[in-house]
Amino acid sequence: MKVLITGGAGFLGSHLAEAWLDRGQEVTILDPAGDLKVRHLRANPHFRAIRESVLSREILDGLVAWSDLVYHLAAVVGVEHYVGDPYQVLTVNINGTQEVLTAAFRHGKKVVFSSTSEVYGRNTAVPFDEDGDRVLGSTRTDRWCYATSKAAGEHFCFAFARMGLRVVVLRYFNVYGPRLDQMDRGRVMTIFIGQLRRGEPVTVIGDGFQTRTFTYVDDAVRATVQAGLRAEAEGQAINVGSEEEVSIRDLAARMIRITGSPSRISFVHQDAVYAQGYEDIPRRVPSVRRMRELLSVRAETTLDVGLGQTIEWFKRQ
Ligand code: UDP
């Protein structure tokens, strides 16, 4: 099988590329970023990296025509972008998705679209059922531009599905693991890992009672591969997540314990970290029934095991 992964040089895409190569398939990634996260795959004759944007229409069209299955992961992701450059988030995420779906529709190829648990916003009715409500704040709060861009992408997916496109929407819940982000950058775990290494205070934003369910990348990748293979998944939105809910203050305490770092927790006001335009999400827990029933996948990696593996990997870098 020939697998195209847009955004394949990113964190999740690089692991997905590896998984399909391990299954003996041909993988092409389309990504304008440097290939740091896939450099270990470069020598593989079944692997190809095209350093272009998903908005390069002709190149995208040729690659979709070549492929049997398209994973659309290319997106601008990360809270610093939502509040720092909402224009870029909206342009790449909405227009890029429309381009990919249009090309896939033209060539009759199946698409797996990577959406996000952010689409549920600050809904407090956990666990989030896939058909549950999206509860977002004002458009004056930049944070919501990402959830909005991904929700628009989902609407495009379902609109194309009505016209006959085979498409699956996956909503990921805080996926983490080796190669996540650069230390000190991006998501909460890589920020904490940098602080722990230097023995500096771990910056918990707010009171730290906000929760997440962190999903180890291997579990997320198994679900993503199945979404590409299973006909039952087509036309569906499916949460991809763990059920192990943890507060951010508990996450900080666990990471301090696992690393044995002398760091302490310091509680900081969100204005000290993010400019105006940030609003936190109080709880985020998926309903995983569809993932189990349609993909036959469960998140098997406990947070302590996954954290141990992730921290170990960053230590070796
Ligand atoms: N967070 C924190 N300290 C940091 C960075 C993030 O306490 O230095 C919190 C953040 O406020 C949120 C959670 O960690 O409640 C997860 O943040 P992240 O940016 O990783 O992803 P999100 O789930 O918000 O998209």
Side-chain angles (χ1 to χ4, degrees):
M1 185 146 74
K2 299 191 190 99
V3 181
L4 173 65
I5 306 174
T6 73
F11 160 60
L12 184 58
S14 70
H15 285 274
L16 183 64
E18 211 171 289
W20 278 106
L21 290 169
D22 286 347
R23 296 173 78 99
Q25 310 302 323
E26 298 281 323
V27 174
T28 294
I29 65 166
L30 175 66
D31 198 314
D35 63 352
L36 224 57
K37 290 182 182 176
V38 288
R39 67 181 159 195
H40 60 299
L41 305 178
R42 261 190 307 211
N44 189 320
H46 303 293
F47 176 77
R48 181 168 61 139
I50 311 290
R51 208 165 165 174
E52 277 290 344
S53 164
V54 77
L55 296 171
S56 309
R57 189 174 284 169
E58 271 177 41
I59 290 169
L60 173 70
D61 194 72
L63 291 174
V64 170
W66 163 87
S67 71
D68 301 309
L69 172 62
V70 180
Y71 283 98
H72 178 42
L73 276 66
V76 180
V77 186
V79 172
E80 75 273 24
H81 299 291
Y82 316 158
V83 300
D85 195 353
Y87 176 79
Q88 192 67 4
V89 171
L90 292 162
T91 304
V92 173
N93 297 6
I94 298 178
N95 300 351
T97 300
Q98 189 176 12
E99 292 289 337
V100 170
L101 293 171
T102 302
F105 183 66
R106 187 180 307 127
H107 297 288
K109 305 298 166 73
K110 175 170 169 173
V111 179
V112 179
F113 173 60
S114 66
S115 186
T116 170
S117 51
E118 273 270 323
V119 297
Y120 298 105
R122 52 170 149 74
N123 188 341
T124 51
V126 295
F128 298 145
D129 181 82
E130 286 88 346
D131 297 330
D133 289 339
R134 298 193 293 120
V135 183
L136 307 186
S138 158
T139 51
R140 297 307 303 272
T141 301
D142 291 326
R143 191 218 164 99
W144 304 117
C145 74
Y146 178 66
T148 300
S149 72
K150 285 291 186 178
E154 290 197 17
H155 273 299
F156 268 122
C157 288
F158 296 125
F160 272 104
R162 285 170 63 146
M163 298 188 274
L165 181 73
R166 291 173 299 141
V167 61
V168 186
V169 170
L170 298 180
R171 297 188 185 138
Y172 295 102
F173 282 68
N174 292 78
V175 181
Y176 73 100
R179 304 198 289 270
L180 178 58
D181 287 313
Q182 273 173 24
M183 228 185 283
D184 294 309
R185 299 268 302 272
R187 283 155 275 202
V188 64
M189 273 184 198
T190 35
I191 292 173
F192 284 1
I193 287 173
Q195 294 165 337
L196 290 162
R197 266 174 74 96
R198 295 186 298 275
E200 288 171 6
V202 172
T203 54
V204 169
I205 298 175
D207 61 14
F209 286 115
Q210 69 271 34
T211 71
R212 297 292 186 272
T213 52
F214 292 94
T215 310
Y216 193 62
V217 66
D218 291 357
D219 293 324
V221 164
R222 281 188 300 116
T224 308
V225 168
Q226 287 308 313
L229 296 173
R230 302 259 178 139
E232 309 91 281
E234 290 166 16
Q236 301 281 345
I238 305 172
N239 291 334
V240 174
S242 146
E243 289 175 288
E244 194 180 350
E245 184 180 14
V246 64
S247 69
I248 298 302
R249 59 162 70 201
D250 183 19
L251 174 76
R254 286 180 196 226
M255 291 179 71
I256 289 173
R257 175 171 50 75
I258 291 171
T259 54
S261 162
S263 293
R264 303 164 68 98
I265 294 178
S266 122
F267 293 94
V268 296
H269 196 270
Q270 64 182 46
D271 294 351
V273 187
Y274 298 110
Q276 292 263 312
Y278 176 72
E279 192 180 331
D280 213 331
I281 286 170
R283 282 182 83 185
R284 182 183 280 166
V285 183
S287 154
V288 295
R289 191 183 50 79
R290 275 192 203 168
M291 177 169 84
R292 229 175 32 229
E293 291 178 1
L294 298 178
L295 306 178
S296 304
V297 173
R298 284 170 191 269
E300 286 163 0
T301 314
T302 62
L303 182 59
D304 278 346
V305 168
L307 273 178
Q309 285 168 197
T310 305
I311 289 167
E312 197 46 49
W313 184 87
F314 275 96
K315 238 192 237 166
R316 287 200 308 269
Q317 296 311 298

